């Protein structure tokens, strides 16, 4: 350390401050092994200005050029505490920390003093060694003491040669033409520069912040300390502030300037503001006289006055404007001049500006009608005024402002229209946007938008036209005379300013303007991608000759409208096709079933949304069962609609196999999983059995159903929440719930109860309220009315839904016990005969005598198959609903299959017989085996005809049954209707 201090001690006094700073930083950084260092000096108010650096790149210290001396950074803390401070760096990623991106461990800072006042701080950026040791702190203090001593002995900045004192008044007057005035609020730091000052101090208006930092930033680092010291002396002693220093110009060069000002004080004697002027001082003395002559003969008027407002200098232009020679003006009071007396308020405004000691500029109207811009600049030794004839300049400025306002309005209109058209998705949206954004600014009252379809015009949308006129315009052929077709064919706008002009050009349509109530037209062809496909007619109810600017704006507008309409037409066509596809994939009509009556709704998403993948279904099954299904393919678009169609078909196929709900969900899960990771489907499958009044429900990621009981209570059954299809892991849970007669089961997708403004729980509560209210007022009796009530309550027409929704209402009915009959059968050859006897008795009790022979034959075949090929326990069940269902249960899992029997085969015709005699038949698994069932219509056309011919007393085994069985192979013509006399193979067993 001693060696470095000794080396610094060899530096002779009198070196520039910048050299002092450079040497101090180099040795401090080198001795401590630091990464770099910097020196800040105190500026006006609470600012510290960076004046010297070592080892730190500019990009790293840009935010440290001017810092708050009351802030938390290391230099400010050293000044505030008056001693050395160690400040660790902010951690990486800290928000808004000036040193967040700095390397190293921290900053060590010490204050610097001059004349027992703190003037700044020296800071070093430490590397991996961390905080300096006590020896290092002592070395830093010694370096700062050396720097403080050399700063006190540094020479003041050397400026250009001074002009002679006897020419001082003339020099200041000369400089007033380019003098910059400034007003500095010492308390707040606010700094006001006029335009000349901005130019003088190399500051662009966009970079001007109105703070004293602007002044400090432009001063040369070597001149900053003396300039600040001069300002400090003027503030504390009440003297005149005078300084000469270099400033950075806009081109990056340094130039000498001079400044002069004085301090004003408030009532308590405290310094309040400093007001002054600045000017260039780079001109050589040899140019002073030439510039004086230029001032004398410049085009602007110039006056110099003393503190009593008496004129001390006037140039030629001032003489001409005021009507007096310089000799006549010299010594005269400004207010005594006739020209000044005729300007209202001139003396008051000038005296107010002088009292406030701030420069002021304003326009005055001279007696000859010319407009002059007058600028008054108070100075330490008097006032200066210069005035410029700005009559033509103000006229051009007003024209420019008018043009700018017009351009701004045009840009605003175009921007508003562009934004509205960007949001428009349908053709109607485009027409509405044009009506709102184009008609009002032009005071237009009518709009017609048409597109070309073949050789005719098709109306897309209109505003302000009666129906009879639209009937004439819509469908107009190309061969018929029309201004609309003329503009389309020409591909150029057509403007008609009056009815007279319209009638002269289109005499065959001369009555149309009066019928439409229009008197002027702007016909704008719609062209996109080089193809003219339509017309946009903007019309007026009064004669209107549009200016060139308005015509240009309307033409530009039509281009935007054309692009938006072309896009909307494509969307409309695609959307229509998508909707048609989706509608074709949903059930057209719900089946009418004894087990349930139903109603449903599909509600597409709001405007601008594509088709979705919501669906619902009712699938009739055997044995008085019905499947109720609702599902949702997440997303919108044709792929989602196609996926919905595939899944609906799969559900139908799986339901026809009469699998239990959990197995159906497992198969659907496999199907969705095979579609890829992007598929996301929720589904709920409910199987209602009207014979047991129970409902088995399985779901995958879907909201639970709502059940409206006959007493008006609403419950959401607690179901297991399995994941969505494609992401679930079978097996799925199945929940069985009892369903009272007449209950309404509500299945729905999430779009009905959930939105961006409503949580699903809130939506389900709202659905329950609607169901309870509808039951109370009787609306729930009609399911179609209940659908409308639910739609209006949860998805009102003004609601812009982001997701489509589907819901299904099913009123569930139980099959009465009197319509069901079930018997166990013996597991021996007598079972078929026993079944026939039971069937005869039961059908006779139900009044279904006409179905006895057929049913006996079907039951005999089914029971015979069980005896031959299956095992017990054996049970027979008859269900009398809308159809007659005959079911035979056994304990085997082997399913029968139909096959074609040849003429020599002894068997294989049984199931063919079942197919021929029943309306439909099938099999299903049960918990203990399987069930084979047949279904017969209660009244066939043959039965009706035979009943009419034979009368009410026909025997059950009359001619009808004989003719029915004669066509069956193996019965022969001798069959008398006694099935017990036939051998079904059971006697042999």
């Amino acid at each position: 350390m001693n060696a470095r201090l000794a080396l610094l001690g060899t530096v002779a006094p009198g070196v520039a401050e910048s050299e002092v700073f450079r040497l101090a930083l180099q040795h401090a950084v080198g001795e401590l092994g630091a990464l770099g260092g910097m020196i800040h000096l105190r500026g006006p108010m609470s600012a510290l200005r960076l004046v010297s650096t070592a080892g730190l790149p500019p990009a790293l210290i840009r935010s440290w050029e001017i810092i708050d001396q009351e802030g938390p950074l290391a230099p400010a803390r050293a000044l505030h505490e008056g001693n050395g401070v160690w400040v660790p760096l902010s951690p990486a990623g800290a928000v808004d920390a000036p040193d967040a991106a700095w390397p190293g461990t921290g900053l060590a800072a010490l204050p610097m003093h001059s004349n027992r006042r703190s003037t700044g701080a020296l800071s070093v950026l430490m590397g991996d060694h961390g905080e300096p040791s006590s020896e290092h702190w002592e070395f830093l203090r010694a370096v700062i003491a050396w720097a403080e001593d050399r700063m006190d002995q540094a020479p003041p900045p050397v400026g250009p040669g001074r002009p002679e004192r006897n020419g001082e008044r003339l020099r200041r007057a000369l400089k007033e033409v380019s003098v910059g005035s400034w007003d500095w609020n010492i308390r707040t730091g606010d700094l006001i520069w006029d335009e000349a000052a901005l130019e003088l101090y190399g500051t662009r208006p966009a970079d001007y912040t109105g703070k004293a930092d602007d002044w400090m930033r432009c001063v040369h680092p070597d001149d900053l300390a003396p300039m600040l010291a001069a300002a400090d002396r003027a503030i504390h002693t009440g003297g005149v502030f005078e300084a000469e220093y270099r400033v950075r110009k806009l081109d990056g060069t340094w130039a000498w300037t001079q400044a002069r000002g004085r301090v004003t004080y408030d009532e308590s004697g405290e310094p309040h503001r400093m007001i002054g002027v600045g000017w260039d001082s780079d001109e050589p003395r040899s140019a002073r006289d030439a510039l004086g002559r230029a001032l004398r003969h410049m085009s602007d008027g110039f006056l110099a006055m003393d503190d009593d407002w008496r004129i001390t200098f006037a140039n030629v232009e001032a003489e001409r404007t005021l009507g007096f020679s310089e000799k006549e003006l010299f010594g005269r009071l400004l207010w005594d001049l006739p020209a000044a007396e005729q300007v209202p308020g001139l003396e008051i405004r000038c005296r107010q500006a002088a009292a406030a000691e701030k420069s002021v500029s304003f326009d005055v109207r001279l007696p000859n009608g010319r407009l002059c811009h007058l600028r008054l600049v108070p100075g330490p030794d008097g006032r200066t005024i210069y005035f410029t004839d700005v009559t033509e300049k103000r006229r051009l400025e007003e024209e420019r402002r008018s043009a700018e306002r017009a351009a701004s309005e045009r840009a605003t209109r175009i921007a508003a229209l562009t934004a509205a058209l960007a949001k428009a998705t349908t053709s109607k949206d485009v027409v509405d946007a044009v009506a709102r954004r184009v008609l009002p600014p032009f005071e237009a009252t009518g709009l017609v938008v048409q597109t070309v379809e073949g050789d005719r015009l098709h109306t897309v949308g209109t505003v302000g036209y009666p129906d009879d006129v639209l009937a004439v315009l819509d469908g107009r052929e190309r061969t018929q005379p029309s201004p609309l077709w003329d503009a389309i064919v020409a591909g150029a706008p057509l403007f008609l300013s009056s009815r007279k002009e319209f009638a002269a050009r289109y005499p065959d349509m001369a009555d149309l303007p009066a019928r439409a109530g229009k008197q002027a037209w702007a016909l704008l062809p719609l062209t996109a991608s080089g193809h003219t496909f339509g017309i946009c007619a903007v019309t007026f109810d009064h004669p209107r000759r549009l200016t060139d600017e308005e015509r240009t704006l309307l033409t530009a507008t039509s281009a935007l409208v054309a692009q938006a309409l072309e896009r909307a037409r494509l969307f409309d066509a695609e959307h229509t096709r998508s909707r048609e596809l989706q509608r074709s994939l949903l059930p057209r009509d719900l089946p009418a079933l004894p087990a349930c009556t139903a109603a449903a709704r599909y509600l597409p998403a709001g405007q601008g949304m594509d088709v979705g993948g919501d669906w619902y279904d009712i699938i009739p099954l055997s044995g008085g069962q019905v499947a109720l299904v609702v599902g949702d393919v997440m997303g919108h678009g044709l792929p989602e609609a196609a996926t919905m169609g595939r899944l609906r078909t799969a559900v139908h196929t799986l339901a026809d196999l009469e699998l239990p709900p959990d197995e159906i969900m497992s198969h659907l899960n496999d199907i969705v999983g095979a579609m890829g990771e992007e598929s996301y489907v929720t589904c709920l499958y409910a199987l209602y059995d009207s014979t047991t009044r129970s409902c088995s429900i399985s779901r995958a990621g879907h909201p639970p159903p709502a059940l409206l009981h006959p007493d008006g209570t609403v419950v959401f059954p607690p179901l297991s929440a399995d994941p969505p299809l494609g992401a679930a892991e079978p097996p799925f849970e199945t929940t069985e719930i009892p369903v009272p007669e007449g209950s309404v089961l509500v299945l729905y997708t999430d779009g009905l109860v959930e939105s961006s403004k409503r949580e699903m729980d809130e939506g389900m509560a709202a659905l329950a309220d609607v169901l309870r209210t509808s039951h109370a007022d009787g609306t729930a009796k009609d399911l179609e009315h209940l659908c409308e009530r639910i739609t209006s309550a949860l998805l009102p027409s003004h609601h812009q839904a982001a997701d489509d929704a589907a819901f299904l209402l099913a009123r569930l009915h139980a099959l009465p016990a009197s319509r069901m009959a079930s018997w166990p059968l013996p597991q021996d050859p007598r079972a078929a005969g026993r079944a026939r006897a039971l069937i005869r008795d039961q059908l006779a009790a139900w009044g279904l005598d006409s179905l006895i022979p057929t049913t006996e034959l079907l039951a005999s075949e089914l029971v015979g198959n069980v005896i031959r090929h299956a095992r017990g326990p054996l049970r027979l069940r008859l269900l009398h609903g809308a159809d007659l269902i005959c079911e035979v249960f056994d304990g085997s899992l082997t399913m029968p299959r139909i096959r074609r029997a040849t003429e020599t085969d002894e068997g294989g015709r049984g199931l063919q017989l079942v197919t021929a005699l029943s309306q439909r038949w099938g099999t299903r698994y049960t918990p203990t085996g399987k069930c084979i069932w047949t279904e017969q219509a209660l009244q066939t056309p043959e039965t009706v005809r035979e009943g009419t011919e034979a009368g009410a007393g026909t025997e059950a085994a009359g001619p009808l049954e004989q003719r029915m069985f004669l066509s069956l192979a193996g019965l022969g013509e001798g069959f008398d209707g006694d099935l017990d006399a036939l051998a079904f193979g059971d006697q042999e067993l």
Side-chain angles (χ1 to χ4, degrees):
M1 292 190 215
N2 293 334
R4 290 187 182 274
L5 293 176
L7 187 61
L8 289 175
T10 62
V11 178
V15 299
E17 283 187 347
S18 60
E19 183 66 10
V20 173
F21 297 157
R22 185 184 67 82
L23 291 173
L25 285 175
Q26 285 183 349
H27 286 281
V29 169
E31 183 63 28
L32 273 67
L35 302 178
M38 52 188 169
I39 292 178
H40 287 80
L41 291 184
R42 187 193 295 270
M45 302 304 297
S46 60
L48 285 175
R49 165 74 184 277
L50 180 66
V51 297
S52 185
T53 63
L56 300 177
L60 199 64
I61 59 174
R62 185 168 292 114
S63 60
W64 290 67
E65 290 181 353
I66 296 178
I67 62 176
D68 186 0
Q69 68 184 34
E70 302 296 331
L73 299 182
R77 288 181 55 182
L79 276 179
H80 183 70
E81 297 177 14
N83 202 352
V85 296
W86 166 251
V87 180
L89 294 179
S90 301
V95 179
D96 295 335
D99 57 356
W102 284 37
T105 56
L107 284 168
L110 281 167
M112 301 175 67
H113 298 81
S114 178
N115 296 326
R116 291 181 296 180
R117 286 185 69 249
S118 58
T119 58
L122 182 147
S123 309
V124 290
L125 176 64
M126 298 301 294
D128 296 334
H129 300 298
E131 182 178 359
S133 62
S134 57
E135 291 82 6
H136 286 157
W137 282 113
E138 290 300 322
F139 174 79
L140 288 177
R141 292 187 181 93
V143 169
I144 288 175
W146 172 84
E148 291 170 348
D149 178 69
R150 292 300 188 271
M151 285 170 62
D152 293 337
Q153 303 178 52
V158 179
R162 303 275 183 175
E164 299 81 6
R165 288 298 302 173
N166 57 9
E168 185 68 12
R169 168 72 68 167
L170 178 61
R171 189 198 63 75
R172 284 202 302 272
L174 171 69
K175 286 300 178 182
E176 290 300 335
V177 294
S178 60
V179 72
S181 61
W182 44 268
D183 184 346
W184 174 31
N185 190 316
I186 299 174
R187 296 176 179 172
T188 65
D190 293 337
L191 178 65
I192 301 174
W193 278 349
D194 59 12
E195 293 181 2
L198 288 172
E199 182 178 0
L200 176 68
Y201 295 122
T203 303
R204 295 182 177 87
D207 300 331
Y208 175 61
T209 64
K211 293 293 184 180
D213 297 341
D214 294 328
W215 201 349
M216 296 171 59
R217 192 177 289 110
C218 69
V219 178
H220 194 284
D222 288 348
D223 304 338
L224 181 60
M227 187 273 288
L228 295 176
D232 188 70
R233 285 193 301 271
I235 292 173
H236 288 87
T237 63
V240 175
F241 165 68
E242 286 184 308
E244 191 168 22
Y245 46 88
R246 287 162 290 180
V247 297
R248 186 188 298 275
K249 295 294 186 178
L250 288 174
D251 59 0
T253 62
W254 297 95
W256 284 95
T257 63
Q258 283 187 273
R260 181 178 176 85
R262 61 182 178 184
V263 181
T264 63
Y265 300 84
D266 58 15
E267 295 81 2
S268 60
E270 294 296 324
H272 180 206
R273 292 161 52 206
M274 181 182 287
I275 303 169
V277 294
W279 61 89
D280 286 324
S281 59
D282 265 338
E283 301 85 0
R285 287 185 180 145
S286 59
R288 304 291 173 121
D289 294 339
L291 291 177
R293 290 191 297 271
L295 173 63
R296 173 69 180 165
H297 298 284
M298 71 178 184
S299 59
D300 293 342
F302 182 84
L303 291 175
M305 296 159 292
D306 60 17
D307 291 337
D308 297 326
W309 299 96
R310 297 189 178 277
I311 299 173
T312 58
F313 177 83
N315 68 354
V316 174
E317 179 61 21
E319 294 175 359
R320 185 190 65 79
T321 302
L322 299 176
F324 296 96
S325 65
E326 182 182 15
K327 184 176 180 180
E328 293 171 326
L329 291 171
F330 188 82
R332 293 192 63 174
L333 196 62
L334 177 64
W335 324 120
D336 293 341
L337 299 176
E341 292 176 350
Q342 297 181 34
V343 177
L346 176 63
E347 180 178 357
I348 295 176
R349 299 177 71 174
C350 290
R351 288 189 181 278
Q352 288 176 345
E357 297 188 352
K358 58 171 27 174
S359 60
V360 65
S361 301
F362 49 87
D363 289 350
V364 296
R365 182 73 64 179
L366 297 180
N368 59 7
R370 304 295 292 178
L371 189 66
C372 282
H373 180 72
L374 185 145
R375 180 171 174 231
L376 170 68
V377 180
D381 299 321
R383 288 94 179 175
T384 56
I385 290 180
Y386 72 85
F387 44 91
T388 307
D389 189 331
V390 293
T391 305
E392 187 65 18
K393 180 180 179 181
R394 293 292 184 263
R395 183 186 66 80
L396 295 176
E397 287 177 351
E398 182 59 31
E399 291 179 355
R400 186 182 71 254
R401 283 193 295 268
S402 298
E404 290 175 350
R405 282 195 299 268
S408 176
E409 292 175 359
R410 286 196 302 272
T412 301
R413 292 175 185 174
I414 292 293
L417 178 61
T418 301
L421 292 177
K423 297 177 182 178
T425 54
T426 66
S427 299
K428 182 180 181 300
D429 295 339
V430 174
V431 175
D432 292 342
V434 175
R436 291 194 310 269
R437 302 294 181 179
V438 177
L439 299 190
F442 290 93
E443 299 179 353
T445 57
L447 174 69
V448 175
V449 178
Q450 292 185 310
T451 57
V452 178
E453 294 186 1
D455 287 334
R456 293 179 179 271
L457 290 177
H458 168 68
T459 301
V460 175
T462 64
V463 173
Y465 274 84
D467 293 339
D468 59 329
V469 175
L470 294 178
V472 175
L473 299 177
D474 193 22
R476 197 166 185 85
E477 296 182 357
R478 184 187 298 266
T479 56
Q480 296 175 291
S482 169
L484 302 173
W485 271 116
D486 288 351
I488 293 173
V489 173
L494 176 60
F495 300 97
L496 301 174
S497 304
S498 64
R499 289 183 180 178
K500 181 178 180 181
E501 185 178 353
F502 185 96
R505 188 158 186 166
Y506 303 98
D508 295 340
M509 304 176 65
D511 64 326
L512 193 60
R515 293 167 56 187
K518 307 303 177 187
Q519 301 189 48
W521 299 261
L523 308 173
L524 312 168
L526 300 177
T527 302
S529 302
H531 168 64
T532 301
F533 65 90
I535 189 76
C536 175
V538 178
T539 58
F540 307 84
D541 59 4
H542 58 279
R544 182 84 149 81
R545 184 172 296 277
L546 298 170
T547 64
D548 292 341
E549 181 180 341
E550 290 173 327
R551 294 185 178 191
T552 301
L553 180 57
L554 282 173
T555 302
T557 298
S558 68
L560 296 175
V561 175
Q563 295 289 340
L565 186 59
E566 181 73 0
R567 184 177 65 249
R569 292 175 68 204
L570 294 175
F571 175 84
D572 289 341
E574 182 69 18
H575 197 64
T576 300
R577 288 193 294 270
S578 300
R579 291 290 185 208
E580 291 175 351
L581 171 62
Q582 186 187 44
R583 290 294 183 186
S584 67
L585 296 175
L586 289 173
R588 294 189 178 182
D589 298 302
L590 296 177
L593 303 174
C596 73
T597 54
R601 291 290 186 274
Y602 170 75
L603 305 169
Q607 185 174 344
M609 300 298 292
D610 208 341
V611 296
D614 290 20
W615 89 92
Y616 56 86
D617 223 332
I618 293 183
I619 306 172
L621 301 175
S622 65
Q625 299 182 110
V626 60
L628 309 171
V629 189
V630 65
D632 184 4
V633 180
M634 296 302 164
H636 296 85
L638 288 178
E640 285 72 17
T643 299
M644 177 266 286
R646 294 170 60 188
L647 291 177
R648 181 169 176 253
T649 302
V651 171
H652 266 269
T653 302
L654 295 170
D656 286 341
L657 296 176
E658 307 222 37
L659 300 175
D662 57 333
E663 291 189 29
I664 289 181
M665 297 301 283
S666 296
H667 287 296
L668 291 177
N669 184 65
D670 294 338
I671 294 173
V672 175
M675 294 179 181
E677 296 182 356
E678 297 180 357
S679 298
Y680 180 79
V681 181
T682 66
C683 183
L684 185 145
Y685 186 95
L687 180 62
Y688 173 65
D689 190 339
S690 62
T691 65
T692 62
R693 300 185 183 183
S694 63
C695 188
S696 300
I697 305 174
S698 184
R699 65 169 178 160
H702 205 83
L707 185 63
L708 172 62
H709 286 268
D711 61 359
T713 60
V714 179
V715 296
F716 291 91
L719 307 178
S720 300
D722 287 313
L725 297 177
E729 291 291 338
F732 288 85
E733 294 290 335
T734 299
T735 303
E736 185 171 320
I737 61 173
V739 180
E741 164 66 24
S743 298
V744 178
L745 186 65
V746 183
L747 278 63
Y748 54 90
T749 60
D750 59 352
L752 181 69
V753 296
E754 186 179 35
S755 68
S756 59
K757 299 180 180 179
R758 181 174 60 198
E759 296 293 335
M760 182 174 292
D761 291 344
E762 299 174 1
M764 292 170 61
L767 174 60
D769 290 340
V770 174
L771 294 175
R772 280 190 290 268
T773 304
S774 300
H775 179 273
D777 61 18
T779 305
K781 294 179 180 179
D782 188 323
L783 293 184
E784 290 294 335
H785 290 169
L786 182 56
C787 282
E788 297 301 324
R789 174 73 67 84
I790 292 174
T791 301
S792 61
L794 298 182
L795 295 175
S797 57
H798 63 273
H799 177 71
Q800 187 78 1
D803 192 12
D804 49 349
F807 63 92
L808 173 66
L809 309 181
R811 191 182 304 280
L812 304 178
H813 305 290
L815 188 64
S818 60
R819 295 296 186 97
M820 295 183 289
S822 179
W823 307 275
L825 296 177
Q827 301 179 43
D828 56 45
R830 295 171 301 168
R834 174 63 176 162
R836 288 192 293 270
L838 294 171
I839 288 172
R840 281 195 298 270
D841 294 341
Q842 186 63 54
L843 293 188
W846 284 342
L848 301 177
D849 302 82
S850 62
L851 295 179
I852 291 176
T854 309
T855 309
E856 285 182 330
L857 183 57
L858 291 172
S860 297
E861 178 59 37
L862 297 182
V863 171
N865 279 341
V866 172
I867 298 300
R868 280 178 172 272
H869 306 293
R871 65 175 182 270
L874 182 62
R875 186 165 60 92
L876 172 68
R877 185 170 75 162
L878 295 179
L879 302 177
H880 179 196
D883 301 301
L884 179 63
I885 299 174
C886 177
E887 299 177 328
V888 175
F889 298 83
D890 64 59
S892 172
L893 296 177
T894 303
M895 288 293 182
R897 58 186 181 88
I898 192 169
R899 63 185 180 87
R900 182 177 296 277
T902 64
E903 294 180 356
T904 60
D905 289 340
E906 295 183 0
R909 296 179 178 84
L911 292 181
Q912 294 183 18
L913 181 66
V914 171
T915 302
L917 294 179
S918 62
Q919 183 172 274
R920 64 187 185 118
W921 72 278
T923 60
R924 68 175 182 271
Y925 287 108
T926 66
T928 59
K930 70 175 181 292
C931 170
I932 307 176
W933 56 269
T934 65
E935 184 179 295
Q936 304 172 76
L938 295 182
Q939 191 174 32
T940 64
E942 290 80 359
T943 306
V944 174
R945 285 198 301 271
E946 186 61 27
T948 303
E949 296 171 0
T954 304
E955 293 295 335
L960 174 62
E961 288 79 3
Q962 295 180 17
R963 294 197 304 272
M964 181 188 300
F965 300 134
L966 284 177
S967 60
L968 298 176
L971 292 181
E973 297 181 357
F975 174 64
D976 60 359
D978 185 5
L979 293 179
D980 288 332
L982 297 177
F984 289 91
D986 49 353
Q987 292 89 344
E988 304 172 2
L989 301 177

